[in-house]
Amino acid sequence: MTIDDAPRDGLRGGPRELLRLVASGAAVSRADLARLSGLSPSTVSQRVEALISEGLLQETGAGKSRGGRRPRQLAVPTGGALIGAIDLGAHHARLGTLDLTGRVVEARTRPVRIEDGPEAVLGALLDEVAALAPAATVPGQRGGTAGSGLRGIGIGIPGPVQYDTGRIVSPSRMPGWNGFDVREFCARRADVPVVVDNDANLMALGEHRAVHADLDHAVYVKAGTGIGAGVISGGRLHRGAQGSAGDISHCRVVADPGPLCSCGNTGCLEAVASGAALVAALCEQGVPVEDLTGVMRLIDDGDRHATALARRAGRSIGEILAVVVNFFNPQVVAIGGRLAECEPLLASMRATLYERCLPLATQALLIERVVTGPDVGIMGAAHLVVDRVVDPA
Ligand SMILES: [Zn+2]
């Protein structure tokens, strides 16, 4: 099994689910796993053996006897086997280590200067992730650096990523990053398997697994400095042919000549409704504001220019999402990122969705905020790595 295998993201019956059942305490034996997963005892045994040989499960002591030989208990090894994760943003990165079930062990936020270029930015963040991983060797571990407990690293990029190659393709606001092979650079530097995806997909996966793992169809919008979305279809992250599925940033919302977008077109969602667009529009109106934090402060203070722009942004996001919802018929649409904290934006997005969608598409549709918090991206990154390293499907 290598990192390039493309196993299912889904949960049902796979080794990933077995691991989760043990980690949550729901199962302590092979018999529990067979009962809870619905798999045959022989399939469970086979998968458990594979997980043990990978160092992802271990047998500890003896369980309760039911008359015969006391069964050995299964457990997820603590210490040693960790996932590193980096969720890169326009101005900050969230980074940390997580255990194999996606629980955060350590996490921190670091300021970054994207314009310093990929080698400098990623190099520093990788060093910090490596420093968080305890020096440990895991029995049966493959691919890890000697002395490092890392099993793999997941990285989110605030721009389009060609998923198969881990390359960045034509990002906005990331000068010097176009065409950069993030996966190759990071895997060579850290000497562990590396998975790279765009930040919206990581947010989608993190939130979906934490909050809506029981639902099959969902759209998660990340609205911060930029704007993007991740799509869950049939319980799996849907990336499309190249990895660009869900990228709504350059969908057109304004028919007349609107603001010029970084892509060269006019009226793109990103040029109208992203955090960067709100900053630019306020500056143009003579309102001195430096960044998204400043915009949010103005909205909280009831500034009418900022509030009107936030409402317009919400309508624009709603217009594009209405097309997505009519086309894709999700069970939930959730909005995350800094702009999700903006009440006027959320309200007008919701109103536009109800106005523009088929009644059948909205009658049971959940429209909500992403609730998982600042670690949602690194949690998604960890799931991505574990899915690829653990699941030998
Ligand atoms: Zn554009």
Side-chain angles (χ1 to χ4, degrees), residues 2-17:
T2 73
I3 201 71
D4 294 320
D5 290 348
R8 44 199 286 275
D9 288 311
L11 302 171
R12 286 155 201 137
R16 177 97 176 86
E17 186 195 5

Side-chain angles (χ1 to χ4, degrees), residues 20-383:
R20 182 191 291 270
L21 287 169
V22 175
S24 69
V28 295
S29 66
R30 289 170 173 78
D32 291 343
L33 287 174
R35 180 170 48 81
L36 292 167
S37 68
L39 296 170
S40 71
S42 62
T43 304
V44 166
S45 266
Q46 215 177 1
R47 293 193 177 163
V48 165
E49 289 312 319
L51 288 168
I52 290 173
S53 73
E54 287 277 308
L56 300 170
L57 269 186
Q58 66 185 20
E59 290 188 296
T60 62
K64 224 178 221 167
S65 167
R66 294 204 188 93
R69 188 167 59 89
R70 295 206 297 173
R72 305 265 288 159
Q73 280 197 316
L74 295 171
V76 174
T78 50
L82 288 174
I83 305 298
I86 298 170
D87 184 16
L88 186 62
H91 306 290
H92 295 90
R94 185 79 174 162
L95 61 86
T97 49
L98 299 92
D99 71 16
L100 295 171
T101 66
R103 277 183 304 226
V104 175
V105 177
E106 278 194 75
R108 54 191 61 172
T109 301
R110 286 287 175 263
V112 295
R113 288 163 39 92
I114 284 288
E115 63 273 21
D116 289 346
E119 281 101 344
V121 170
L122 292 170
L125 296 173
L126 285 170
D127 288 349
E128 189 150 1
V129 168
L132 288 180
T137 45
V138 181
Q141 178 179 344
R142 289 189 291 167
T145 320
S148 159
L150 286 182
R151 298 280 313 211
I153 299 176
I155 300 176
I157 297 291
V161 174
Q162 188 179 37
Y163 184 71
D164 283 348
T165 62
R167 242 174 231 284
I168 300 180
V169 182
S170 302
S172 321
R173 294 182 303 276
M174 295 180 79
W177 291 67
N178 186 26
F180 189 76
D181 189 336
V182 177
R183 187 170 69 190
E184 213 266 332
F185 172 80
C186 295
R188 192 154 33 86
R189 178 135 179 165
D191 197 24
V192 289
V194 170
V195 188
V196 185
D197 208 334
N198 73 70
D199 58 344
N201 278 352
L202 294 194
M203 188 197 79
L205 194 57
E207 176 76 359
H208 193 73
R209 292 277 176 88
V211 180
H212 290 305
D214 54 323
L215 301 183
D216 279 337
H217 310 294
V219 174
Y220 297 95
V221 179
K222 183 168 183 184
T225 302
I227 196 158
V231 178
I232 303 285
S233 175
R236 309 171 43 142
L237 198 52
H238 174 78
R239 294 191 180 82
Q242 296 289 329
S244 74
D247 192 340
I248 53 174
S249 50
H250 301 285
C251 291
R252 185 165 193 172
V253 278
V254 201
D256 7 295
L260 186 66
C261 181
S262 58
C263 72
N265 288 321
T266 54
C268 295
L269 185 62
E270 179 156 300
V272 177
S274 66
L278 296 186
V279 172
L282 281 168
C283 289
E284 213 165 89
Q285 293 179 16
V287 183
V289 66
E290 273 182 17
D291 52 18
L292 189 47
T293 306
V295 176
M296 299 297 287
R297 200 176 300 129
L298 285 173
I299 293 168
D300 283 344
D301 292 346
D303 179 273
R304 64 189 172 86
H305 293 292
T307 306
L309 282 170
R311 285 212 189 88
R312 188 179 76 157
R315 261 198 313 279
S316 301
I317 296 170
E319 274 179 37
I320 298 300
L321 281 183
V323 177
V324 172
V325 167
N326 283 333
F327 181 80
F328 176 61
N329 190 196
Q331 293 153 302
V332 57
V333 170
I335 179 164
R338 295 286 305 284
L339 286 177
E341 296 157 30
C342 177
E343 198 51 58
L345 182 146
L346 206 65
S348 58
M349 179 192 96
R350 186 188 296 267
T352 308
L353 270 175
Y354 283 122
E355 188 186 308
R356 298 282 177 95
C357 288
L358 291 171
L360 184 58
T362 50
Q363 67 182 14
L365 178 67
L366 301 169
I367 303 173
E368 57 188 38
R369 274 196 182 95
V370 167
V371 294
T372 301
D375 291 331
V376 66
I378 59 172
M379 288 164 68
H383 288 309

